[in-house]
Structure formats: C-alpha cells, structure tokens
Amino acid sequence: MRLLLLFLCGAVTAASASRTFEIDYENNCFLKDGQPYRYISGTIHYFRVPAKYWEDRLLKMRALGCNAVQTYIMWLWHEPVQGHYSFSGSVNITRFLTIANRLGLDVILRIGPYSDAEQDMGGFPAWTLKERGIQFRTSDPRYTQLVKTWWDKLLPMIKPFLYTNGGPVIMVQVENEYGWWSPIDKNYTSWLFNLAHSHFGDGIVYFTTDPAQPALVKGGHIEGPLINSEFYPGWFTEWGEKYVHTPASAVIKTMNAMYALNASFNIYLVHGGTNFGYAAGAEHIGDQPFHTVTTSYDWSAPIREDGHTIGKFFEMQQAIHALTGKPIRPLPPPIIRQAYGSIEMRYYGTVFDHLKELTLDKPVQSRYPLTAEDVDHYYGFLLYEVKLPKDAKITINATDAINDRGDFFLNRRIKLLSTQRAQSQQTVFVIDRAHYDLDENQPLLLSILVENQGRICYTPRLTDYKGIVQNITANGKALEKWTIYRISFTDIIRKLEEAPEELQLHVRESENDLTSMTKFIPSLFVGEFDTKGRTVGDTWIDTTDWGKGQMFTGKAFGLGRYWPSKGPQLTLYHPMVQAGKNQLVFFELDKPGNCFGKKCYAQSVINPLWIQ
C-alpha cells in the first residue's frame, strides 16, 4: 500500500482571535482555537456523487468516526469551456462546504490546479490543449495565466469558508504529487503558493502531498511536519484488470500504527463514487499499456459506490471508536435500492442511420484530419469520413493515428476492422475492390468512428490529444478533404423522452448483424422500465453479455462507459430513477447482449456485479 505524506507550511498567523488553526512546531501537533487537535478524515469527491446524496455520504462518514472531510476541486468540471463556469448541481462546491460545516466536519481542500484522482487529464480542462506546446505544471506564462484566471474566479468563492472566516476549511493543498513531475520547477510551486496566499492570506495551513520517497518529497514539498494525506483502504480499477479488494484487517492494522504515532491521517477514500459520463481518466505509465479507469470508482471503500455501508465500514467504525473513545454516531436512513428486472433494449438503428440527428452543429470540413481539441469536441465520439482513390487495391496506413479506439467502415455499411490504442499501434490493411465486389468506378467512402476513452491523468504524458492525431495514408499518400462529425447523443435522447412515439415510428427490423462483432455497426438501443407499484429507488444496470458502449438515461444523463467484454465491471450505477417510466439508451459498439431472435435485454439489479 503506497502511503502519501503531508508537508506543511507555517505561515499561519491567526486572522481572528476567536477562531484559529495553526501548527505547534515545538510539540509537533495542530492547534485548533489554541487546543491540540488531530484529525481522522475521509475523502469524498463531491463531483463523483449526486448532489442529493452529499449529506447522506457525509453523515455516514461522520458515523464512521471521521471529524474532517477531504476533497479535490476539479477544474475540468467547473470550466468545461474556457471562460464559461459551472458551480451548480453536482459541482456546487460552496453548497458541499456549507453542508460539511453544518454537520460539524472540518474540511481539507485540495485546490489543484492539477489533481489526478483518475479524472480525465488529471482535472485539467481539455480545452487547455488548444494552446499547442503549452508546458503544464511549469512557469510557462501560457499555463500560469490560465491558472491565474481560474483561481481568480475560484478562490474568492472559497475564502468565506476558511476556518478563520467562520467556515470549515482548516487546510488547503496546493498542487498534487509534484515530486513525480519532471522536470521540477521550484519557481512554479513558489508562484502557485504566492497566488493562493494572495487570496487567502495567513490564518490557514497550506500543504503539498507527495509519495513517501525522499527524492520525490524534495521535489514537491513545502517544509513542515509529516502526516498521512492518502491512506488507502483499497485501490481504483481499470478495464481489463481485477477488482482490488483490501480486507478490513489490513486497513485497521495500519490505522492503529498511525494513531499510535500520534499522527493525523486521511482515508482515501471513504466513499469513491462514480465516473459519470466521460469523466474517467486513463493511465499510460512507462512501457505499460494504455488503460482506462472503470466507470465505478468504488475503490473497495467502506461506503460502497451506491452509498451502502459494507462490512468493512462497521469493522473500521469499531476500530476508530476504540482508538478515539468518541461515541458512535447513528447512521442516516438507508438509501432505497430496487431491482426492476428485465429490460428489453429495442434496436433503434446505426450511427449512420441517425448521423444527422447525432451531429452537433454542422460537420467540420478540413484538408487533413483535426483532433478532438481542434474541433472543440473534448469528450466522447467523433466520426471522420474521407473519399478513397479509385485504385483496385488500396493500402491504408493508420499506424499510431487513432486515440483511442477506431472503428473503420467502407461506404457506411461494411465494417473493416476495429483498433485499440496500444504502446505502438500498427494499423495497416488493404481494401481490395474485388473482395467487396466493387468496380473501379464506384466511389469508396472511408468512415472512422473514434472513441475518446479518457485522457492520461498521471505522469508528464498529460498532453494526450484525442481523435485522429496524425495523417492517415492511402497507398502512401496522405488522405485529404475530410468531413468530421462531432457526435452528441443529447438531442436524439431528449426527443425520444419527450416524444416516445418517435421510437415506435423508427424502430425497425435490423439489417445489422446483432450477434457478430466483426460485422456489427455501432447502434442505438432503447429500453424502458417502470417503477409502478414499487417505492422508487436507485438501481444497477447489468450489461452482462453486451460488448462495449456508453449508457444514458432518458434525460440524456450519462451513466458512463460499460465494457463487460473486457471486465471486471458488469453493472452501472443508476441513481437518477424517477417515479413512473424510465428510459435507457445504449450506444453499443460491438454487439448487444442477451439476444433471443431480434430481442435483446439488459437487467436492473439491486447490487453491483464484478468479474472476480
């Protein structure tokens, strides 16, 4: 288990005589209002939890025995488009802080600008990549100006919540694990601290977090005493890997040892939550292959992804009670969960059938292919199309051109192949007109559906462009005159929700081969379940036997990526169930599941399922 250590800065003169939080260096402890203080905190990421459940999760964390909560502020959620800010719904950070304050929880705030947390690009908004050659996490003025603009917006909103101002925030982390970065830029970290200090002033503890290795600590830290900022009760999971389960006994043993040293520590994570939509990041470390983080960010935490308290929670609760001697607080009422049973997922046509409805604004025309960042379509799917030469045989070379998955089609009806990003992706294939019974005068259209599977969130590979990232050649010559479609599911899903008769008009017998991954063309499937006669509750959607795709509710809320053919995650958490009929939409890339004749099914179940 990798431990992260905390290094603290001592610029902590109190702004108010009545409320102070500072470091007593002589006795190696914190002082809160002049009294010795230490914390057992837990991490909850507000942006991974529906806002309606923030209080529930914080109450459960308090019942575990925590007296503080730690969270990141994730830049990408708050400025999805440059200059356009979002602080409402599940990213209303001031509301989250208000709830924590009301519940008597102190807050340890990690303000970035880089966070990691297995989010897309480590929390940087993807639009920052539009500035080609920008040097992230350095003194590059192009980068620091973006950070200054962001913090000048964010930090004045946070200032009223500082402890000395009557709020819950006792500590603020600047940057994150900078010791891993290369090259180290101490001018940058000093500038960043000074910028934070210009907004917050004294009266607060500033800190950095780095792995417990001396060389890395030297690169990243501000001086001060050590505590454990990230104590792991589990680990995150990537597609194609095993779900990591850490037994409570191992967690408790380490907690006891830390407490015996008079240490404060943070449990990362008490509750993991969900990578809804396209938010999951990816890893590509050294020579290891490119891997995407699962939609579930369960982390084997004591509070499960859906808010259910598992056995580990109660074992840890008893252990913390034994350490602190503080009374065990009651749990809030349990969140209702339901299994709504079998859901028929009706075929609704291919991506080409609905291309006009799926295209955001107008198609983009370009001599050469443009990246997702170039066309301001930062997440999800892009469809690229180009005409091919009239040669009898055409050798296509798309080596290392596709980030991350590419599905190649001929004339919008013949699937040629699928590619998946790897360390070095050799993609060379031949289109033989004779093989497809096409004469030399028949025009050929090459279509490439590209899936962005999440930007690298860790290591200096953050400049992770998506889409087609370099030219593709035909018989050695770069293909030209591309049409680029920015795929968005919002309009078509909302139309189906508002006018369900459209589904009846358009559902038809499939010309697609629903059982073949080699012939299947990515398609939409629409299903519905009804809460009639039952108490409305959250559920899990079981995608066992399906291939790979993206799942949405009828309100076009993205439940996330499913990939049961890769595993280990089989179910997606659905916390948006409403009374009455609830629509589900799958965009399936490989093949639908549980098909009997022309009917295919998913299941609504009460618990998460993983391939063990």
Side-chain angles (χ1 to χ4, degrees), residues 28 49 303 309 383 476 479 549 572 607:
N28 291 321
V49 181
I303 304 173
T309 47
L383 180 70
L479 288 166
L572 293 195
N607 285 309

mmCIF file of all heavy atoms in Angstrom, residues 28 49 303 309 383 476 479 549 572 607:
data_model
loop_
_atom_site.group_PDB
_atom_site.id
_atom_site.type_symbol
_atom_site.label_atom_id
_atom_site.label_comp_id
_atom_site.label_asym_id
_atom_site.label_seq_id
_atom_site.Cartn_x
_atom_site.Cartn_y
_atom_site.Cartn_z
ATOM 1 N N ASN A 28 4.901 19.341 17.716
ATOM 2 C CA ASN A 28 4.539 18.564 16.523
ATOM 3 C C ASN A 28 3.053 18.214 16.494
ATOM 4 O O ASN A 28 2.662 17.049 16.325
ATOM 5 C CB ASN A 28 5.379 17.287 16.429
ATOM 6 C CG ASN A 28 6.834 17.594 16.130
ATOM 7 O OD1 ASN A 28 7.129 18.497 15.343
ATOM 8 N ND2 ASN A 28 7.726 16.862 16.760
ATOM 9 N N VAL A 49 -20.451 12.252 -6.854
ATOM 10 C CA VAL A 49 -21.626 11.857 -6.075
ATOM 11 C C VAL A 49 -22.782 12.781 -6.450
ATOM 12 O O VAL A 49 -22.607 14.004 -6.472
ATOM 13 C CB VAL A 49 -21.346 11.972 -4.558
ATOM 14 C CG1 VAL A 49 -22.562 11.544 -3.755
ATOM 15 C CG2 VAL A 49 -20.117 11.145 -4.175
ATOM 16 N N ILE A 303 -17.805 2.812 2.349
ATOM 17 C CA ILE A 303 -19.129 3.190 1.850
ATOM 18 C C ILE A 303 -19.136 2.905 0.357
ATOM 19 O O ILE A 303 -18.393 3.516 -0.406
ATOM 20 C CB ILE A 303 -19.447 4.673 2.106
ATOM 21 C CG1 ILE A 303 -19.314 4.999 3.593
ATOM 22 C CG2 ILE A 303 -20.853 5.010 1.609
ATOM 23 C CD1 ILE A 303 -19.451 6.484 3.919
ATOM 24 N N THR A 309 -23.438 0.812 3.186
ATOM 25 C CA THR A 309 -22.331 0.573 4.110
ATOM 26 C C THR A 309 -22.046 -0.918 4.176
ATOM 27 O O THR A 309 -22.902 -1.703 4.581
ATOM 28 C CB THR A 309 -22.662 1.109 5.512
ATOM 29 O OG1 THR A 309 -23.980 0.674 5.886
ATOM 30 C CG2 THR A 309 -22.620 2.622 5.534
ATOM 31 N N LEU A 383 -16.795 11.143 -35.677
ATOM 32 C CA LEU A 383 -16.837 10.337 -36.889
ATOM 33 C C LEU A 383 -16.120 11.100 -37.998
ATOM 34 O O LEU A 383 -16.470 12.250 -38.292
ATOM 35 C CB LEU A 383 -18.278 10.035 -37.311
ATOM 36 C CG LEU A 383 -18.420 9.197 -38.585
ATOM 37 C CD1 LEU A 383 -17.959 7.764 -38.356
ATOM 38 C CD2 LEU A 383 -19.852 9.223 -39.100
ATOM 39 N N GLY A 476 0.343 5.259 -49.631
ATOM 40 C CA GLY A 476 1.489 6.115 -49.342
ATOM 41 C C GLY A 476 1.217 7.603 -49.398
ATOM 42 O O GLY A 476 2.116 8.399 -49.089
ATOM 43 N N LEU A 479 -4.366 11.104 -47.019
ATOM 44 C CA LEU A 479 -5.743 11.343 -47.441
ATOM 45 C C LEU A 479 -6.152 12.781 -47.124
ATOM 46 O O LEU A 479 -5.822 13.313 -46.065
ATOM 47 C CB LEU A 479 -6.685 10.363 -46.737
ATOM 48 C CG LEU A 479 -6.601 8.909 -47.211
ATOM 49 C CD1 LEU A 479 -7.317 7.978 -46.242
ATOM 50 C CD2 LEU A 479 -7.195 8.775 -48.615
ATOM 51 N N GLY A 549 -19.840 0.020 -24.746
ATOM 52 C CA GLY A 549 -20.575 1.190 -25.191
ATOM 53 C C GLY A 549 -20.732 2.234 -24.116
ATOM 54 O O GLY A 549 -20.047 2.212 -23.089
ATOM 55 N N LEU A 572 -23.663 -0.770 -14.142
ATOM 56 C CA LEU A 572 -23.519 0.668 -13.959
ATOM 57 C C LEU A 572 -24.553 1.148 -12.942
ATOM 58 O O LEU A 572 -25.720 0.757 -12.986
ATOM 59 C CB LEU A 572 -23.718 1.423 -15.273
ATOM 60 C CG LEU A 572 -22.669 1.238 -16.380
ATOM 61 C CD1 LEU A 572 -22.830 2.332 -17.442
ATOM 62 C CD2 LEU A 572 -21.254 1.239 -15.845
ATOM 63 N N ASN A 607 -27.683 -5.011 -6.670
ATOM 64 C CA ASN A 607 -26.301 -4.937 -6.204
ATOM 65 C C ASN A 607 -25.337 -4.886 -7.383
ATOM 66 O O ASN A 607 -25.644 -5.390 -8.471
ATOM 67 C CB ASN A 607 -25.954 -6.159 -5.326
ATOM 68 C CG ASN A 607 -26.572 -6.073 -3.955
ATOM 69 O OD1 ASN A 607 -26.439 -5.067 -3.263
ATOM 70 N ND2 ASN A 607 -27.255 -7.136 -3.540
#
